Amino acid sequence: MAAEKIFPMTQAGKEKLEQELEHLKTVKRKEVVERIKIARSFGDLSENSEYDSAKEEQAFVEGRITTLENMIRNAKIIEEDEMSSDSVSLGRSVTFVELPKGEEETYTIVGSAEADPFEGKISNDSPIARSLMGKKVGDEVSVQTPGGEMSVRIVSIH
């Protein structure tokens, strides 16, 4: 049997996943079951779009529960002492500027399980993070993105 994937994450990231899992199990699951009951009362299930929709949501919720349980079970917490203090590493925030005259951008590099670009958290598997890992303040780095290549200079790591 193949080894299960390890999900590197911060303690805060793991706690967020645990909260989502708890919400799905205790609240969302019950809501979906209630929607199915109500939809069944509408009669003929073969032409009941409300029932179909509720069953699809149930499948999504159960799939997400399974995914979260797997991620939590296989979580590897990144400890503060494992993080490099002078180079870009998992769990660190990095500020860089796109060259020649871009604005500063700051991202925290996290495991894929807790990535959320809208909150400034990018996956260590992303092209930007992979290009920046191990680099130091002042380094100029070429980054391959879906939109093409860009050059950045690392301004700070914290």
Side-chain angles (χ1 to χ4, degrees):
M1 182 170 126
E4 291 200 55
K5 180 177 178 183
I6 300 298
F7 295 92
M9 63 184 75
T10 61
Q11 184 62 40
K14 183 179 180 192
E15 289 168 5
K16 188 175 179 182
L17 294 180
E18 289 170 338
Q19 289 170 357
E20 180 184 354
L21 178 61
E22 184 66 19
H23 176 76
L24 288 173
K25 285 181 162 183
T26 61
V27 176
K28 199 68 176 166
R29 217 180 224 169
K30 290 175 183 166
E31 289 175 357
V32 172
V33 168
E34 190 58 32
R35 275 189 61 205
I36 291 171
K37 278 186 200 173
I38 292 168
R40 278 189 175 144
S41 71
F42 296 155
D44 184 10
L45 297 181
S46 65
E47 294 182 16
N48 187 333
S49 63
E50 186 63 32
Y51 177 78
D52 292 341
S53 172
K55 290 299 281 184
E56 285 175 18
E57 184 177 6
Q58 182 182 41
F60 173 80
V61 167
E62 294 303 323
R64 183 68 180 155
I65 287 171
T66 300
T67 298
L68 289 172
E69 287 173 338
N70 183 47
M71 292 168 108
I72 291 167
R73 182 176 53 251
N74 294 302
K76 179 184 183 311
I77 303 302
I78 292 102
E79 301 294 339
E80 187 71 27
D81 59 354
E82 292 178 45
M83 297 180 209
S84 172
S85 59
D86 65 343
S87 63
V88 178
S89 62
L90 201 60
R92 289 276 180 226
S93 293
V94 59
T95 301
F96 60 84
V97 62
E98 187 174 349
L99 300 174
K101 297 186 221 171
E103 294 184 23
E104 282 189 1
E105 296 180 49
T106 301
Y107 294 100
T108 301
I109 299 179
V110 296
S112 60
E114 60 184 311
D116 185 347
F118 297 110
E119 287 187 16
K121 297 178 178 180
I122 60 172
S123 167
N124 60 318
D125 293 328
S126 71
I128 292 175
R130 283 197 315 260
S131 297
L132 296 174
M133 295 290 272
K135 304 297 190 273
K136 298 182 183 311
V137 172
D139 285 355
E140 291 187 10
V141 182
S142 179
V143 179
Q144 279 298 117
T145 68
E149 190 172 305
M150 69 178 192
S151 293
V152 302
R153 183 175 51 257
I154 298 173
V155 176
S156 66
I157 301 167
H158 38 278

